[in-house]
Amino acid sequence: MAPPRGSTAYKKKDGTLALSRDLQSVSWTPAAPPGAPAAVTIAVKSITNNGDLQQTPASSPKVMLKIFAQPSGAAATETHVFSFTSTTEARSEADAIKEALSRSIQAAQSGTSTPAAVGGGSSSAAMAIASAVSSTLGAGRDMNSLYDDEQLKSNVELQQSLLKTNPSLSKTFMESLRTKPESISNSQLTSQFWSSRAHLLRAHAIERSQIRGAYNVLSTIKPRTEDNTIKLSISKEQIQLIFSQHELVKRAYDENVPKLSEESFWSRFFQSRLFKKLKGEKILEADPTDAVLDKYLSLDEDLERSRRLLASHVPHIIDVEGNEENHSQRKGNKPDITMVPTSVDRVPIIRTLNSLSEKIMSHVAPNDVDPSEPIGMDEETFNSLALRDLQGDAEENRIILNIKDQGRFFSSDKDSDKSADDINYEKHNPTIVLKMLRNDLASKGSDIDLATAIGVDEESSDSDSAEPHPSHVGSKASLRSATARIFAAIAQQRAQNEDLSVNGFSSVHAAATSDLSTTVFDRLSLTHATTTEFLHHFWLAFLSGDSARAEEIASLVETLDRAMDRIRAVANDAEQERLKEIEKLKKQVRDHYERTHKKLVFNPESVKGGAKVVNQLMAPTVKAIGVALHKYKKALALDEDAQTR
């Protein structure tokens, strides 16, 4: 059938809107004068997506079609509005044109060819299905879609797959949906949730797009013996790999099946000498023989490889067989063993693995080769094979800069690098300092104790004296202070190097649950994740400056207040668990006293966890909520003052 067309009015002029026969453009032709050329022609490729086609709803008495197009080279988008004027077929004509344009846009995006004509009835539906399928497959093959955040956020199937593989993220998502304010719809929350996790979607999409490449399939197939019967499991994919990697097996299969059944062929193959040869194993005299498959042992599987080597250009400097043929060294000293070609029978496993690796890598597209470069030896390969020892010294191409006094250029830098102590020490005369040190040591006597001289007293107590005295190097106070600073630096460095878990806490805390029970820690982690999510929503709405989102911001403030209540509830539950643990330990102390009449010293502070740990872990989140509420109240007060004036 002919492409769809309809009677329309464009800029208050009657005419006809029609698609071209190749469905690559839509044109409007005025009705007067008769035979006039098309006044407006819109290419399908200039219509970026189906959202650029807008049609009035079915309930509207007027039937209009709006097309947004951006021609190549134009900075602005052009808008074309066509009003259908037919009294009986206006709606059907508009629907037909819009449907055909939608199919053409999908075909253009997926890179598939558009049919030359539009069929009717069932053929039109089949073509629409085929176009949609090809568009989906084309988008799946396009790796650029993995780097587009908008496509990732709109891929519901990918999001559901990620939630299934990440239970913690799924729990956070469901909790956010459950505790969201009523002013935020599910679609808004979902869009905002995934907008901050596009990197997770991209990583999951890349992981799903990866497929297993070719591998040495014969080494993975191992027959097993059960009840004196050899059993073997082999799939269709493995058979296809065997045929692609070993032309000899494919030839044996074509020549002997269906004379032999498939089960019989594979059973005999995996017990034959041919199987051991293709695996690179050495054939022994005790190995069973096979009248059908043994005749393929004498055939050279590497014949095709030899043809490829002859067809390709191999530099003589690395062509061992070529050197043997062109420059034989049968006289004189014997070449090194690394330069002598060996027979296949001596090292079959090495030859087999090298040949198989070459076959597998030949089907892999190299990622370090520019397809625009000429075929042949590149400059890097030529330079690596060149005998540089025989080349002369390259001529130096440089400008010699002569400086008479270089010290004046760096004197200021030297002075700037010196510390205040270095400058102070430079003022002292070493001779005078040494003389003063000798006099000081002479006054102390010959039996001087250096530890006592600098103030170290091992017999002193750890408690500080009531009288304040200046600390000096070597005193116990200085040693304790230095030790505390060292351990604090180690703890800080360790905290900075720790990886953060999914829930936001460090891996060490997550593993030990921070002295909290597993149930309380899971609740705390979930509360932390959902609170962070709502804080993100609040700041996006608060900083947008949109007065229409005032109700949404107020609802989010109420949600943050409820988040504080949830944090306090978790802290109370943690404290109750700690008190129960303390009562349990006290009961054990009492029972021990009743049995042995010996008192055990019990310190309730030794029981960790409780509300203190919860408040410590959630302190940054509580502070963030406080800042958000303060900013909101301040902005609300300013708005009320502005309204009262």
Side-chain angles (χ1 to χ4, degrees):
M1 294 180 62
R5 55 194 300 121
S7 300
T8 59
Y10 179 70
K11 294 183 178 181
K12 298 182 181 181
K13 293 183 180 180
D14 294 335
T16 303
L17 182 67
L19 267 75
S20 61
R21 297 197 62 84
D22 58 357
L23 300 182
Q24 296 301 311
S25 63
V26 58
S27 59
W28 180 81
T29 305
V40 178
T41 302
I42 305 172
V44 171
K45 62 181 181 181
S46 65
I47 307 174
T48 56
N49 52 58
N50 287 330
D52 291 340
L53 296 177
Q54 297 181 5
Q55 185 179 358
T56 54
S59 58
S60 177
K62 294 184 179 180
V63 182
M64 304 173 67
L65 180 64
K66 183 183 290 187
I67 301 176
F68 298 90
Q70 185 174 5
S72 59
T77 303
E78 299 178 357
T79 304
H80 305 276
V81 181
F82 302 96
S83 301
F84 290 83
T85 58
S86 176
T87 56
T88 57
E89 302 293 335
R91 179 63 59 180
S92 59
E93 290 176 352
D95 292 341
I97 292 176
K98 183 181 179 182
E99 181 183 358
L101 276 175
S102 300
R103 290 197 302 268
S104 300
I105 293 171
Q106 291 179 357
Q109 290 178 348
S110 62
T112 56
S113 58
T114 308
V118 179
S122 61
S123 63
S124 178
M127 191 173 298
I129 295 174
S131 177
V133 171
S134 64
S135 176
T136 304
L137 293 176
R141 290 191 299 265
D142 188 10
M143 291 299 294
N144 292 330
S145 63
L146 300 179
Y147 303 99
D148 188 1
D149 290 350
E150 296 300 327
Q151 293 191 28
L152 292 173
K153 289 187 290 186
S154 61
N155 194 336
V156 180
E157 190 269 336
L158 180 64
Q159 297 168 5
Q160 295 294 333
S161 175
L162 177 58
L163 291 177
K164 290 179 181 179
T165 58
N166 194 333
S168 177
L169 186 64
S170 176
K171 189 183 297 183
T172 303
F173 178 73
M174 299 307 296
E175 184 68 14
S176 301
L177 288 177
R178 187 181 66 83
T179 58
K180 72 175 182 65
E182 296 181 356
S183 60
I184 300 179
S185 63
N186 290 341
S187 60
Q188 291 176 341
L189 179 65
T190 303
S191 175
Q192 188 58 49
F193 182 85
W194 292 115
S195 64
S196 60
R197 293 169 174 83
H199 62 288
L200 297 179
L201 291 172
R202 185 177 298 106
H204 186 64
I206 293 175
E207 181 182 357
R208 294 205 315 170
S209 64
Q210 292 176 346
I211 58 175
R212 185 177 183 181
Y215 59 96
N216 187 0
V217 64
L218 291 182
S219 62
T220 61
I221 301 175
K222 298 178 180 179
R224 63 183 186 277
T225 303
E226 295 181 2
D227 300 332
N228 296 327
T229 305
I230 298 178
K231 295 186 178 181
L232 179 70
S233 298
I234 185 171
S235 62
K236 185 184 297 183
E237 290 77 11
Q238 289 176 323
I239 294 177
Q240 295 295 334
L241 276 177
I242 292 174
F243 287 162
S244 63
Q245 294 176 7
H246 303 283
E247 295 288 339
L248 206 55
V249 180
K250 184 178 181 181
R251 177 180 174 182
Y253 179 86
D254 292 339
E255 293 179 356
N256 296 282
V257 178
K259 297 178 183 178
L260 297 174
S261 63
E262 287 203 16
E263 295 182 359
S264 176
F265 174 81
W266 292 115
S267 176
R268 297 174 68 167
F269 170 72
F270 288 111
Q271 301 178 59
S272 65
R273 297 186 174 188
L274 180 61
F275 176 64
K276 296 190 67 176
K277 176 187 176 183
L278 296 179
K279 286 182 65 177
E281 298 178 358
K282 191 174 182 179
I283 300 176
L284 305 176
E285 294 294 335
D287 292 335
T289 59
D290 190 297
V292 177
L293 299 177
D294 283 355
K295 62 183 180 180
Y296 297 97
L297 290 173
S298 58
L299 299 180
D300 187 9
E301 193 190 22
D302 293 337
L303 185 60
E304 183 64 25
R305 175 176 174 270
S306 301
R307 292 197 189 99
R308 292 198 305 269
L309 286 176
L310 291 175
S312 61
H313 173 70
V314 180
H316 292 300
I317 192 171
I318 60 175
D319 187 3
V320 180
E321 295 180 358
N323 290 340
E324 179 67 20
E325 179 180 354
N326 298 329
H327 183 63
S328 177
Q329 297 183 4
R330 295 186 178 91
K331 295 181 180 181
N333 296 332
K334 184 178 180 181
D336 186 75
I337 189 172
T338 58
M339 299 298 294
V340 178
T342 57
S343 62
V344 181
D345 298 334
R346 292 188 61 181
V347 279
I349 183 65
I350 296 178
R351 287 289 186 119
T352 302
L353 293 179
N354 288 342
S355 176
L356 183 60
S357 300
E358 184 181 355
K359 290 179 181 178
I360 293 176
M361 294 304 296
S362 64
H363 298 287
V364 178
N367 58 358
D368 57 347
V369 176
D370 187 0
S372 62
E373 292 181 352
I375 300 175
M377 185 185 304
D378 56 0
E379 185 176 357
E380 183 179 358
T381 305
F382 177 80
N383 293 332
S384 64
L385 298 178
L387 298 177
R388 289 180 291 275
D389 293 343
L390 303 180
Q391 299 176 358
D393 296 335
E395 183 179 357
E396 295 183 356
N397 185 14
R398 61 180 181 174
I399 300 175
I400 300 176
L401 180 62
N402 296 319
I403 300 177
K404 295 181 179 180
D405 185 10
Q406 300 183 12
R408 60 190 180 91
F409 292 100
F410 307 104
S411 58
S412 59
D413 294 339
K414 290 182 179 180
D415 294 338
S416 61
D417 293 339
K418 292 180 180 179
S419 62
D421 292 339
D422 293 339
I423 297 175
N424 187 24
Y425 291 149
E426 285 182 353
K427 298 178 181 178
H428 295 285
N429 190 346
T431 305
I432 299 176
V433 172
L434 290 175
K435 184 177 180 180
M436 293 173 59
L437 180 60
R438 291 191 187 98
N439 294 334
D440 192 12
L441 293 177
S443 63
K444 299 292 184 180
S446 59
D447 299 332
I448 184 172
D449 187 1
L450 293 179
T452 306
I454 64 175
V456 176
D457 187 4
E458 298 293 341
E459 302 297 333
S460 64
S461 60
D462 292 338
S463 60
D464 296 330
S465 61
E467 297 180 359
H469 55 84
S471 177
H472 56 86
V473 177
S475 64
K476 284 214 166 186
S478 298
L479 294 177
R480 285 197 304 269
S481 177
T483 304
R485 286 197 298 268
I486 291 173
F487 280 110
I490 293 175
Q492 183 179 6
Q493 186 68 23
R494 180 182 179 185
Q496 292 176 356
N497 292 336
E498 285 174 356
D499 294 332
L500 294 181
S501 62
V502 178
N503 297 321
F505 300 120
S506 67
S507 57
V508 175
H509 288 308
T513 65
S514 298
D515 298 316
L516 300 174
S517 65
T518 305
T519 305
V520 173
F521 187 81
D522 290 342
R523 284 181 55 195
L524 184 63
S525 302
L526 190 59
T527 303
H528 172 268
T530 53
T531 305
T532 304
E533 192 69 29
F534 290 129
L535 276 171
H536 190 60
H537 280 280
F538 169 80
W539 286 115
L540 286 177
F542 184 76
L543 299 176
S544 65
D546 188 1
S547 59
R549 304 182 67 177
E551 295 183 0
E552 179 185 349
I553 297 173
S555 300
L556 287 170
V557 170
E558 296 178 0
T559 304
L560 293 178
D561 289 333
R562 290 196 295 269
M564 290 293 299
D565 296 337
R566 286 193 292 270
I567 294 174
R568 285 190 286 266
V570 174
N572 293 334
D573 293 344
E575 188 64 25
Q576 292 297 325
E577 286 190 354
R578 180 177 176 272
L579 294 177
K580 289 180 181 179
E581 184 66 21
I582 292 175
E583 290 297 329
K584 180 180 177 181
L585 294 176
K586 286 182 177 180
K587 185 176 181 301
Q588 293 178 2
V589 171
R590 289 193 297 267
D591 294 342
H592 183 270
Y593 177 76
E594 292 176 358
R595 290 194 309 269
T596 62
H597 296 285
K598 293 181 180 179
K599 278 191 174 183
L600 294 177
V601 179
F602 172 68
N603 184 12
E605 298 298 329
S606 62
V607 180
K608 305 297 182 181
K612 180 179 178 181
V613 174
V614 173
N615 294 331
Q616 182 181 2
L617 291 175
M618 296 298 293
T621 304
V622 173
K623 184 178 179 180
I625 295 176
V627 172
L629 296 179
H630 174 71
K631 292 288 186 181
Y632 172 74
K633 292 177 181 178
K634 184 178 179 180
L636 186 62
L638 292 175
D639 185 64
E640 291 177 355
D641 292 341
Q643 291 179 0
T644 55
R645 291 177 181 176

